[in-house]
Amino acid sequence: MVLWSLLMSLLLGVELPIQGSLSSRLLFRIDGKDSSRLSWFSNAGSLVFAPEISEQMEAKLGFTLRADRFPKLSSGTELSTADRLEPVTLLLDEAYIRLYNPVPNMSVTIGRQKVHWGSADAVNPTDNFTTPDYSDPLTWDARRPVWMAHLGYSPVSAFGLEFGVKPIFEPAINPPASWYQPKILPTETELRAGLVNQLIQAGYDSLTAQQIAGQFKIKVQENVRLPGTGFKDFTWGGRVKTHFAGLDLALSGLRGYDFLPATLASTSTDFNTQELDLLITEFFPPRTVLGAELATNLAGVGLWAEAGYSFYNDSLLKDELSVIAGLDYSIAGFYLNLQYLHGDFPLARLQLARLKEFLLGAVERRFVGDRLLIRLGGVLDIKKRSFGLMPAVTFTPFSGLELELTGLVFSGSANSAFAPLNKIREIGGGVKYRF
Amino acid sequence: MNRILTTVLIISGLASAVCALTGDEVLERMRQATIAADRRVEAVMKITDKNHRVQERVLRMVMKGDEKILVWFLKPADLRGVSFMSTGRENMWVYLPAQGRVRRISGSAAEGSFGGSDFSYQEMANISFGNCQVQGEAVLTVRNGDSAYQLLIDQQGKKSRLWVEKERFLPLQVEQLGNEAEVRKRITFADFRQINGVWLPWLIRLENFSRGSVTELQLQKAELNIGIKDSYFTEENMKQGG
């Protein structure tokens, strides 16, 4: 690493500061489906090279090596395949060149980057450039950088414009299947039950229908359609922001895609050959999102609201309004944060539950000269009374090192947002060092 | 001999009465002596907790007048790129590179710790004694061996005692008072150096009596009156990383 840094420094003739982090975290499932086992882990190392080129130019190159999947063997012959035994993912993080002041108060960034819009915490209906990363169940608002060009321009302190174009669409990253497997495809049992119903409707009695259905061959085909890479398929958007009289306001428009797929299913039943073909088409619905953001203070209370109205470009999905409004307050050393969401909560969205009413809250307090942080975060599906809780204790013995003890608790009745995570109880911990 | 001494005392007393300044005048003279049109500063912030553990941060600060300030953390690694901007009493934001976002700091959070130090966001925003109002008269006294004016000032409803050096009108010390007039924080300004006619404290030391910790801000480099425009204080520049 040092040699690499030295070599780059010599080649570029610039200082090449290196930052990075090492982390090791795990979750142990103590209750719920498949309990008493290690349900999730992540060992990751990241490096960021950030050469100091000039005041007008900045570059960054970062990557992460992440091991968060268990070894998987389908045959003994794979024992000679190291990447099946030690699955590691290499991820390219931010990798961009940024120019400052090509005209005064303008920045232009080209490359892999994070562009974050929105005034709310954790859930941002207007934030649709960067890809959600759900791979860490303990971090509900993580985002991956994306390839794009971004222009920011603030001619005066109180007014700014942004414009971005993203040519390549990258879908959201789901958690490892060992922690949670979203249900997208129907099971064979479900398909046969559907066939039985079909036969009963065609006039067969229940027993005969079941016998016939049992003899059917079931073929499932899955077809995933990613957005293309033509100009018309690009994601692009702009945002105008201003502040006055203690109020931050922003309006935005973005033409892009949902990060999680919608599913279309079609079946064809051939009674002569006794075959049932199921074709599942997964696609990323194109949409245009008009957004509005607000943030202010009132009597020491931080207030914000954010709304995104999604116009779906085809008739398969209904247009929808997603709104989040919240407040935060600090009192007697405690930090309180409460938000109401009419929209998609990330972990609920994984099982394709759409637009529910949620309350999100967090209370935290720091102790021991700010080195010990105790936090309780939670989310409640208001109508179905299902919830998720995430208590966490983080200790920073010295700058750069974090030790974490955490828990995850879900409760979700049938049809609630967190039904698939019902009764999951997990404890976990980890260590992270940044240098 | 006694008669001579009495005469001297009477004359000095009369002279003191003639030269006495109001609190507002002292504050104004202090501002004239210490506030540049703008300044760019690099500083090392040393935080010593009550168990004598020390943490260091390296900061770059750009200030204009007594209201606009933009601060970037350059070190340590876990804070690098974090920035803070204030453009007046109601407007404070923090930029967190990990989240890629700029967030408004709410009123109550403004009292929160700035980068784990004993300075609050509010104190960083008012580091040049902007938005101060003097209550009562200036009292001539001695502070840390220097003749000084003692003022009672009000910064957004919070009372503080301020000592201003009599000779050069430099701030020597501020004591922030609690509800019972107890001293909660003491800020000492030292090692004044004159650049382009403006005095700058090279060392600012904050003692936090409730936490038992101390934060020292040691300037490393300072440039004054370099023509920074109002339009410098933007979200784009917060993200620049200093």
Side-chain angles (χ1 to χ4, degrees), chain A residues 112-162:
Chain A
R112 201 163 169 81
Q113 58 188 292
K114 282 182 180 175
V115 172
H116 188 100
W117 292 356
S119 55
D121 274 345
V123 181
N124 296 102
T126 65
D127 192 13
N128 295 297
F129 271 122
T130 47
T131 300
D133 181 358
Y134 303 131
S135 57
D136 180 349
L138 299 169
T139 310
W140 296 344
D141 58 349
R143 296 271 175 163
R144 294 287 308 152
V146 291
W147 293 107
M148 63 180 289
H150 178 263
L151 182 148
Y153 180 49
S154 299
V156 292
S157 176
F159 180 76
L161 294 166
E162 284 182 78

Side-chain angles (χ1 to χ4, degrees), chain A residues 120-121 157 248 297 300 371, chain B residues 53 93 101 103-104 106 233:
Chain A
D121 274 345
S157 176
D248 292 354
N297 302 315
R371 288 185 299 130
Chain B
R53 274 183 289 242
W93 298 270
R101 66 188 308 190
R103 281 218 65 177
R104 174 174 281 273
S106 67
F233 297 86

Side-chain angles (χ1 to χ4, degrees), chain B residues 89-116:
Chain B
R89 198 175 148 182
E90 293 293 318
N91 291 317
M92 283 187 274
W93 298 270
V94 63
Y95 171 64
L96 305 169
Q99 295 180 10
R101 66 188 308 190
V102 173
R103 281 218 65 177
R104 174 174 281 273
I105 298 171
S106 67
S108 54
E111 297 302 322
S113 164
F114 172 77

Side-chain angles (χ1 to χ4, degrees), chain B residues 159 175-185:
Chain B
K159 302 263 188 302
E175 285 181 346
Q176 292 179 6
L177 307 176
N179 294 335
E180 309 293 321
E182 79 281 10
V183 179
R184 295 175 64 194
K185 287 181 179 178

Side-chain angles (χ1 to χ4, degrees), chain A residues 258-421:
Chain A
D258 263 4
F259 288 104
L260 286 167
T263 308
L264 277 177
S266 65
T267 54
S268 64
T269 315
D270 188 331
F271 287 95
N272 294 323
T273 58
Q274 292 197 319
E275 281 184 354
L276 186 148
D277 290 328
L278 172 69
L279 177 63
I280 303 273
T281 304
E282 290 159 66
F283 68 104
F284 296 86
R287 61 174 177 165
T288 301
V289 185
L290 296 184
E293 303 158 42
L294 176 154
T296 190
N297 302 315
L298 197 64
V301 181
L303 299 169
W304 59 84
E306 183 180 340
Y309 195 92
S310 294
F311 296 92
Y312 284 96
N313 299 10
D314 53 42
S315 56
L316 294 169
L317 291 169
K318 280 197 291 187
D319 296 345
E320 62 191 24
L321 175 69
S322 187
V323 182
I324 183 164
L327 57 89
D328 68 352
Y329 191 64
S330 298
I331 186 166
F334 285 91
Y335 171 75
L336 312 168
N337 184 312
L338 189 66
Q339 299 186 98
Y340 163 78
L341 167 68
H342 168 81
D344 296 326
F345 183 75
L347 283 178
R349 178 78 170 85
L350 288 175
Q351 50 125 5
L352 309 179
R354 303 302 303 271
L355 284 174
K356 292 183 185 277
E357 315 290 322
F358 295 97
L359 270 182
L360 289 75
V363 55
E364 63 183 48
R365 197 185 194 299
R366 289 180 183 274
F367 301 89
V368 198
D370 288 350
R371 288 185 299 130
L372 180 68
L373 172 69
I374 297 180
R375 185 176 201 276
L376 177 65
V379 54
L380 172 71
D381 172 357
I382 298 170
K383 286 188 178 162
K384 301 286 182 181
R385 300 285 191 272
S386 65
F387 65 86
L389 286 175
M390 193 172 79
V393 178
T394 309
F395 182 59
T396 307
F398 55 85
S399 185
L401 182 69
E402 278 179 13
L403 307 171
E404 185 184 54
L405 188 64
T406 188
L408 266 181
V409 176
F410 285 100
S411 171
S413 55
N415 300 321
S416 69
F418 302 112
L421 304 168

Side-chain angles (χ1 to χ4, degrees), chain B residues 26-86:
Chain B
V26 172
L27 199 61
E28 186 51 36
R29 294 283 295 270
M30 187 194 79
R31 284 191 179 127
Q32 285 170 11
T34 56
I35 296 180
D38 56 59
R39 52 184 132 153
R40 181 160 53 200
V41 164
E42 262 186 45
V44 173
M45 180 182 263
K46 197 166 88 173
I47 306 157
T48 309
D49 71 12
K50 64 180 177 187
N51 297 318
H52 309 292
R53 274 183 289 242
V54 179
Q55 296 182 66
E56 276 195 2
R57 283 103 173 77
V58 178
L59 311 173
R60 183 171 294 152
M61 297 188 269
V62 171
M63 288 164 268
K64 184 171 170 65
D66 59 3
E67 280 212 323
K68 292 186 170 65
I69 180 167
L70 184 43
V71 185
W72 299 270
F73 283 90
L74 307 180
K75 285 180 186 171
D78 53 345
L79 284 174
R80 185 177 165 80
V82 171
S83 61
F84 162 73
M85 182 169 80
S86 172

